[in-house]
Amino acid sequence: MVTVEFPDGTVRQSEKNRIKDILRDIGQNEHAVLVVIDGCLVTPDVCVKNGTEIKLISVVSGG
């Protein structure tokens, strides 16, 4: 399982292994969050191993 930490500190898990599929599994839009693994930004096409910890950062824009 992959552990996902939301910006508010909530933690969920997913059995998926591709970032895009993980985000879909937990109900997140891939264009609304940045995904960080071990301090590095990763793209939605990246596949991760079982046991990986992912941190989500909200994308905010303004005018």
Side-chain angles (χ1 to χ4, degrees), residues 6 11 14 18 22 25 29 36-37 43 47 49 51-52 55:
F6 287 79
V11 175
S14 176
R18 188 172 63 150
I22 293 167
D25 187 44
N29 181 325
V36 178
I37 299 174
T43 58
C47 289
K49 296 179 182 178
T52 299
K55 185 170 183 167

Side-chain angles (χ1 to χ4, degrees):
M1 286 205 154
V2 174
T3 302
V4 182
E5 182 182 338
F6 287 79
D8 67 359
T10 304
V11 175
R12 290 200 42 202
Q13 293 188 322
S14 176
E15 294 185 7
K16 307 293 183 185
N17 68 344
R18 188 172 63 150
I19 297 297
K20 186 175 199 169
D21 297 332
I22 293 167
L23 293 174
R24 188 177 301 130
D25 187 44
I26 62 172
Q28 292 294 303
N29 181 325
E30 67 182 90
H31 302 291
V33 293
L34 297 174
V35 180
V36 178
I37 299 174
D38 294 329
C40 297
L41 288 175
V42 295
T43 58
D45 62 322
V46 170
C47 289
V48 296
K49 296 179 182 178
N50 195 14
T52 299
E53 295 181 6
I54 295 172
K55 185 170 183 167
L56 302 181
I57 300 173
S58 296
V59 176
V60 180
S61 63

